[in-house]
Amino acid sequence: MEFPVSDTFQLDGKPVVFETGQTVMQAALAAGHYIPHLCYHPEFKPHGSCKLCTVKVNGRTAASCTMPAEAGLEVESDIDELNALRRTLVQMLFAEGNHFCPSCEKSGNCVLQALGYDLEVHSAGFRHQFPDRPLDASHPDILLDFNRCILCELCVNASAEVDGKHVFALAGRGNSKHLIVNAESGLLKDTNIALTDKAMSVCPVGVIIKKGVGFSTPIGERRYDQRPISQQALDDAPRPPSGEAHD
Amino acid sequence: MVHEAVSPSQRLLEPKDLSFLQQVIGLYGNDPTKLLQILREVQEHLGFIPNPAVSFIAETLNIPRNRIESVASFYSFLHLKSQGTYRVLFSDNITDRMLGSQALMERMCQQLWLQPGKVSEDGLVSIGTTSCTGMCDQGPAMLVNERAITKLTHQRIQEIGQLIRNRTPLSDWPADFFQVEDNIQRAGLLLGNTLTYGETLQAGIALGGAAIVEEVKRSGLRGRGGAGYPTGLKWEACRNAQGKEHYVVCNADEGEPGTFKDRVLLTRQADLVFEGMTLCALAVGAKKGFLYLRGEYRYLLDHLLGVLQRRRDSDLLGHDILGIKGFDFDIEIHLGAGAYICGEESALIESLEGERGVPRNRPPFPVTHGYLQQPTALDNVETFCQAAMAIHMGADKYSAIGTAKSTGSKLISVSGDCPRPGIYEYQFGVSVQEILNDCGAVNTRAVQISGPSGICIGEHEFSRKLGFEDLPTAGAFMVFDDSRDMFEVARNFVHFFAHESCGFCTPCRVGTSMLKQTMDKIAAGQGTHYDLAEVENLDHVLQTTSHCGLGRTACNPVLHTLKHFRPAYESRLKSLSFKPAFDLDGALARARQMTGRDDAGAHLKENE
Ligand SMILES: Cc1cc2nc3c(=O)[nH]c(=O)nc-3n(C[C@H](O)[C@H](O)[C@H](O)COP(=O)(O)O)c2cc1C
Ligand code: SF4
Ligand code: SF4
Ligand code: FES
Ligand code: FES
């Protein structure tokens, strides 16, 4: 591949070549280096909200998915201090929602859960908030289980940018922030969502669920059952924009 | 008023409402970037934004309706459900509480048979709390339908309750309720200026854009909004940035609790504010400016619009300003709607564009990619005034004032335990003790400098000096005497941050609300040393991974008070080191309330 302008920065002591315009995360993944991430998806503009991808750049912390790569940066990622922070962030996300993995259809395909395993999050860490977030089961083919939403906005962007529909949006502020759909009734059945929408396949956790196919791939044979996310993510990284979706 | 049979979000639109909606949307040029302004007008006119209005606005602006709900639900003063014909919000800063606001609120709730946060059954009134309204020198304060009322007393509360019961329109309430004093206690070069309109602008025109930038750089002026960035460098970067258009934005969001100096500047020195903005326009090459006024200062809008119009009439705004061909500049006022985060510069710009006030990913910074992604010079109200003063006095004279790294003067908003709260203008380098002497404070235990996100200092530090070298400040100066419980001060600030977190990033959204729960747990006598350790853990995560300054500073109040006043925490702790957060007896509180029981049998025995 021809790079227009390329240069290098250091990631955990190893040189990483990057193109102008790439972020630290994009360059690292393309070069085969994994940095943990959750809200970042290679096909979409970085959101920068989960903060799991936090690295140290020349000694200061920054989100690597939004940090523009620059020549000569000294980036640290796989160090105890940062992995401890990431563990805390994962614990926070688990405590914020209602995540009962054993009964969740997404178990094994869930990025949050996979990160939990990979970062060795062994305990809850924080008291759970047990928010009251009723399901939306109004649609004949699709279930929305808001209990698991991590507010990454991927479905919002996928629906707007790829599907051209704006089915999803985020509402509220602070810890009452939540996902809403585009209907006067507030119900998914009154939106124009379709099973073939990109928005159906981007959720990293188990919010947007196709009804009826539930456990067709048995637990144990799922995406992150086979290989840890740190390896899986590298395969996904340099995909062209029309590449295959997560499922 | 239609409040009866219909569900709270379903108020039907009458023909006159529809024509009002059409008119407002038309007034804003059917422009979706004016969505927040449109919603604010609808809120003001209809008392809330009913569901059919959401649909109507969505169709007219040709935007998805969930974008409207998404924006409206971000701002505290916009409601998608009716909150009553009268919406009463008590300012809930610690200084309001110190002046007795909680008792007043309780009294009013009793008087009107209401529970806080609930709308009365007849749809008449709701009572709740809001973050500091910027009336700290004349509290306790409240907002009724977003209009500020100051100096609350039991009698005033009684009268307000009567007016509400009688359904007296707000416009017929006694004018002195809405009186806001300036309380200028000490004037300096800024507040004491004797400039006439247009004087500094003439000086600026004589210099020209490039020389204005040089002059402001040489003056050593640094931003007065908190971060203290050198103003000249910012203007220079904006001037040099490529773009279709350049913009000037004045940050009048003034949301940091305990800060009210911008309120006084906008009241007394509006011309100087606009003149500073116009000088900046000349310096960076902007044709358009915005002043982002916090919703709490809605009462200043007519006054400010009047000043703008007078300046247009005097050739100080508009086309060919002061006869200079091609020097075009005008200023538009945008109102906020109750969101502290919109004081953060990139969140403010999002809000100006009619979006949720969520801070952007930076870089790029506003000087290159600001309003509509164009180069934007964004500064605090006081900064624009100081820049005008620097141009007027000349850089040499200006930089001789203050200290080496903090030139010029600073407006300090003094509130709390002292007989003379108000605005004090000092040269940088003034000591905390000097200010305490001037405002008459005695037996002072602590001073909170620069608001909850700033720093809390104890008695042994009162010789420290205000300035970027030692104690940087955006202006808040809250005084606490030895009768105050510094734990409760910190707890109030922690509640503030949790309420105002925009919710974008994990650490702040979850961390501030966990911190709040921990402080409440300690306050309830359920805390342990384990909880104090958890605070330190939360602090580390918030400081290192938060997206913006709100999250990064949210733990400061607890850390600072823990450092100086640890016994205030420890006296509340249980002796054991771990106590589960789940309080079984507490969980039964709701059942007790529902059954009206509070006898011993309705409580669980404490078993540890
Ligand atoms: C959470 C938060 C709230 C802020 N609120 C205000 C504010 O109310 N007024 C203000 O001028 N600056 C505020 N700032 C600082 C602005 O981001 C920005 O630095 C400032 O307006 C720049 O102007 P200056 O250089 O003149 O100080 C806030 C920053 C943060 C992080
Ligand atoms: S539903 Fe899924 S994709 Fe959408 S915001 Fe929530 S977690 Fe993200
Ligand atoms: S730190 Fe808080 S206020 Fe700032 S972006 Fe994150 S959630 Fe929003
Ligand atoms: S992956 Fe970077 S913030 Fe979420
Ligand atoms: S308004 Fe009451 S303290 Fe600020």
Side-chain angles (χ1 to χ4, degrees):
Chain A
M1 204 199 244
E2 269 272 311
F3 293 140
V5 187
S6 69
D7 226 317
T8 61
F9 63 84
Q10 298 285 315
L11 174 62
D12 289 329
K14 294 185 210 87
V16 175
V17 180
F18 69 92
E19 283 174 59
T20 323
Q22 275 185 321
T23 63
V24 168
M25 172 72 77
Q26 283 162 341
L29 289 176
H33 303 282
Y34 173 69
I35 301 175
H37 56 275
L38 177 54
C39 68
Y40 172 68
H41 186 296
E43 292 167 49
F44 294 93
K45 192 167 162 263
H47 191 235
S49 64
C50 76
K51 302 300 179 195
L52 272 165
C53 67
T54 299
V55 293
K56 273 192 164 177
V57 181
N58 298 346
R60 295 186 56 181
T61 47
S64 59
C65 69
T66 53
M67 177 83 198
E70 268 177 56
L73 295 181
E74 302 270 349
V75 181
E76 295 168 273
S77 171
D78 193 9
I79 56 175
D80 289 349
E81 181 195 344
L82 291 171
N83 286 324
L85 280 172
R86 291 175 185 135
R87 265 193 292 281
T88 309
L89 290 168
V90 168
Q91 288 173 327
M92 283 177 154
L93 286 166
F94 270 114
E96 181 189 27
N98 297 309
H99 298 269
F100 307 109
C101 296
S103 66
C104 175
E105 282 187 29
K106 191 80 174 195
S107 194
N109 293 327
C110 169
V111 182
L112 181 64
Q113 184 192 46
L115 279 165
Y117 283 126
D118 211 52
L119 291 165
E120 298 176 2
V121 178
H122 295 306
S123 67
F126 295 99
R127 75 199 71 136
H128 282 263
Q129 314 272 305
F130 300 118
D132 184 21
R133 301 185 190 165
L135 313 185
D136 179 346
S138 65
H139 195 282
D141 305 319
I142 304 160
L143 173 77
L144 294 181
D145 188 340
F146 300 110
N147 288 298
R148 305 161 185 152
C149 182
I150 53 148
L151 309 165
C152 69
E153 235 166 305
L154 278 170
C155 60
V156 177
N157 295 336
S159 184
E161 291 163 24
V162 183
D163 307 328
K165 287 186 181 177
H166 307 280
V167 169
F168 298 106
L170 292 173
R173 185 174 85 195
N175 78 341
S176 58
K177 189 172 164 193
H178 61 282
L179 191 68
I180 58 170
V181 300
N182 192 25
E184 194 166 312
S185 66
L187 295 174
L188 191 66
K189 73 173 169 57
D190 296 321
T191 68
N192 56 350
I193 194 166
L195 282 173
T196 50
D197 282 357
K198 182 75 180 173
M200 286 298 300
S201 63
V202 289
C203 182
V205 291
V207 180
I208 306 171
I209 302 278
K210 201 166 152 186
K211 285 184 179 170
V213 293
F215 291 86
S216 60
T217 309
I219 289 181
E221 293 171 25
R222 294 180 170 188
R223 192 173 163 83
Y224 302 114
D225 295 333
Q226 293 162 14
R227 304 166 66 206
I229 190 167
S230 48
Q231 290 169 30
Q232 196 77 56
L234 291 177
D235 297 350
D236 303 342
R239 283 177 305 181
S242 58
E244 250 189 75
H246 287 280
D247 56 63
Chain B
M1 289 275 149
V2 194
H3 280 302
E4 293 82 46
V6 285
S7 95
S9 58
Q10 283 298 350
R11 179 194 200 281
L12 300 173
L13 292 182
E14 298 163 24
K16 69 170 168 47
D17 297 332
L18 283 174
S19 64
F20 164 76
L21 286 175
Q22 234 145 12
Q23 190 197 335
V24 166
I25 299 170
L27 205 69
Y28 287 100
N30 282 32
D31 179 358
T33 70
K34 307 288 182 197
L35 179 61
L36 176 58
Q37 301 309 306
I38 294 169
L39 293 177
R40 207 196 46 75
E41 301 249 14
V42 175
Q43 167 71 43
E44 196 167 308
H45 191 81
L46 300 180
F48 72 112
I49 308 162
N51 216 343
V54 173
S55 300
F56 184 86
I57 299 168
E59 276 161 36
T60 317
L61 292 180
N62 196 19
I63 55 175
R65 59 167 288 121
N66 59 358
R67 166 152 174 229
I68 298 179
E69 292 168 327
S70 166
V71 169
S73 58
F74 187 85
Y75 296 93
S76 296
F77 299 160
L78 300 179
H79 305 290
L80 292 163
K81 290 190 175 127
S82 172
Q83 297 299 306
T85 310
Y86 297 92
R87 300 169 300 282
V88 178
L89 293 173
F90 280 83
S91 180
D92 197 26
N93 189 22
I94 186 68
T95 52
D96 292 288
R97 291 185 170 211
M98 283 155 48
L99 292 164
S101 65
Q102 288 165 298
L104 293 172
M105 175 158 153
E106 234 169 80
R107 171 86 165 262
M108 191 167 188
C109 285
Q110 280 168 6
Q111 190 193 350
L112 294 168
W113 290 87
L114 263 184
Q115 270 184 8
K118 297 239 161 66
V119 187
S120 62
E121 269 174 34
D122 55 1
L124 181 67
V125 52
S126 63
I127 298 176
T129 57
T130 189
S131 301
C132 176
T133 55
M135 301 293 164
C136 330
D137 54 334
Q138 45 205 302
M142 63 159 58
L143 299 172
V144 179
N145 297 358
E146 295 81 62
R147 282 295 305 269
I149 299 183
T150 57
K151 288 181 266 188
L152 296 173
T153 56
H154 277 282
Q155 197 200 327
R156 192 162 269 196
I157 289 291
Q158 196 78 24
E159 286 170 35
I160 291 171
Q162 270 310 326
L163 290 163
I164 290 175
R165 275 215 204 108
N166 298 339
R167 299 177 183 248
T168 311
L170 214 58
S171 50
D172 296 341
W173 290 21
D176 62 322
F177 284 16
F178 305 100
Q179 190 66 40
V180 178
E181 308 291 345
D182 293 332
N183 288 331
I184 295 175
Q185 307 283 5
R186 191 179 196 278
L189 69 100
L190 186 56
L191 293 171
N193 82 76
T194 52
L195 290 164
T196 53
Y197 312 144
E199 202 178 325
T200 65
L201 196 50
Q202 297 277 15
I205 288 171
L207 285 170
I212 293 176
V213 168
E214 278 315 306
E215 203 66 9
V216 175
K217 267 166 70 177
R218 281 205 311 121
S219 75
L221 175 62
R222 295 172 67 167
R224 300 296 197 249
Y229 192 81
T231 308
L233 288 182
K234 192 190 282 185
W235 290 13
E236 180 174 58
C238 185
R239 178 183 168 86
N240 293 337
Q242 299 292 318
K244 283 203 305 269
E245 274 216 57
H246 288 58
Y247 294 95
V248 174
V249 176
C250 177
N251 188 343
D253 197 49
E254 189 157 68
E256 190 70 42
T259 318
F260 49 89
K261 45 116 189 155
D262 293 342
R263 179 197 92 208
V264 175
L265 285 173
L266 294 167
T267 310
R268 292 282 279 261
Q269 301 287 340
D271 272 287
L272 199 62
V273 178
F274 295 139
E275 203 135 324
M277 290 177 72
T278 314
L279 285 166
C280 178
L282 196 57
V284 305
K287 303 219 170 300
K288 179 141 190 100
F290 292 95
L291 183 133
Y292 187 94
L293 184 66
R294 72 186 305 220
E296 289 83 346
Y297 295 168
R298 163 72 182 78
Y299 74 97
L300 287 172
L301 182 63
D302 290 343
H303 154 69
L304 293 171
L305 290 174
V307 174
L308 284 178
Q309 192 52 48
R310 175 170 46 65
R311 292 183 70 84
R312 279 181 207 115
D313 297 343
S314 324
D315 235 7
L316 297 170
L317 280 178
H319 283 293
D320 300 339
I321 291 172
L322 290 173
I324 310 296
K325 270 265 159 297
F327 181 15
D328 301 341
F329 182 63
D330 213 329
I331 296 170
E332 204 174 292
I333 299 178
H334 269 221
L335 271 158
Y340 163 68
I341 191 60
C342 290
E344 193 282 334
E345 56 185 12
S346 65
L348 185 150
I349 290 171
E350 285 288 308
S351 184
L352 269 184
E353 293 181 6
E355 301 283 355
R356 296 159 60 83
V358 175
R360 291 177 175 173
N361 287 312
R362 297 175 307 165
F365 293 92
V367 279
T368 58
H369 295 75
Y371 183 65
L372 303 179
Q373 297 300 319
Q374 300 304 309
T376 302
L378 185 149
D379 285 297
N380 173 259
V381 173
E382 185 183 350
T383 309
F384 282 117
C385 292
Q386 296 285 0
M389 291 312 297
I391 294 297
H392 168 67
M393 297 166 65
D396 294 330
K397 260 178 125 179
Y398 188 90
S399 61
I401 298 166
T403 66
K405 286 187 179 147
S406 316
T407 61
S409 69
K410 181 80 194 89
L411 267 55
I412 305 298
S413 316
V414 177
S415 65
D417 292 315
C418 70
R420 289 185 297 280
I423 297 295
Y424 292 72
E425 181 177 358
Y426 291 100
Q427 299 189 3
F428 270 118
V430 62
S431 75
V432 171
Q433 188 60 56
E434 210 174 321
I435 304 178
L436 288 172
N437 294 346
D438 288 350
C439 70
V442 290
N443 302 327
T444 305
R445 165 173 288 176
V447 180
Q448 184 76 27
I449 307 276
S450 206
S453 70
I455 126 164
C456 179
I457 59 170
E459 218 171 327
H460 60 288
E461 296 171 289
F462 291 169
S463 59
R464 291 180 67 179
K465 294 178 163 56
L466 299 191
F468 298 104
E469 294 94 334
D470 184 7
L471 286 175
T473 179
F477 191 99
M478 290 186 264
V479 182
F480 303 99
D481 71 19
D482 57 10
S483 71
R484 301 301 175 184
D485 178 351
M486 294 310 289
F487 170 82
E488 281 302 328
V489 173
R491 190 160 80 97
N492 176 262
F493 293 163
V494 162
H495 275 246
F496 165 76
F497 285 125
H499 183 253
E500 297 297 342
S501 164
C502 82
F504 173 75
C505 68
T506 311
C508 176
R509 183 183 68 244
V510 188
T512 54
S513 89
M514 285 178 166
L515 193 62
K516 171 174 133 172
Q517 286 170 18
T518 303
M519 290 297 275
D520 289 351
K521 185 181 167 195
I522 296 173
Q526 304 288 326
T528 62
H529 284 281
Y530 175 87
D531 292 292
L532 293 189
E534 186 179 281
V535 169
E536 273 156 29
N537 183 22
L538 281 172
D539 171 62
H540 184 55
V541 184
L542 277 156
Q543 258 188 36
T544 46
T545 64
S546 289
H547 186 60
C548 82
L550 191 156
R552 262 177 258 139
T553 55
C555 282
N556 285 357
V558 181
L559 293 180
H560 296 161
T561 49
L562 257 176
K563 188 170 128 206
H564 297 307
F565 309 103
R566 203 173 177 96
Y569 287 75
E570 285 181 335
S571 64
R572 289 178 156 90
L573 298 184
K574 295 221 159 191
S575 54
L576 58 162
S577 67
F578 176 76
K579 166 99 188 161
F582 188 69
D583 166 12
L584 207 50
D585 184 61
L588 288 173
R590 186 141 175 265
R592 282 194 296 268
Q593 195 191 350
M594 278 160 45
T595 52
R597 280 182 62 180
D598 201 20
D599 53 291
H603 284 273
L604 290 172
K605 270 233 194 66
E606 281 273 299
N607 46 4
E608 286 168 4

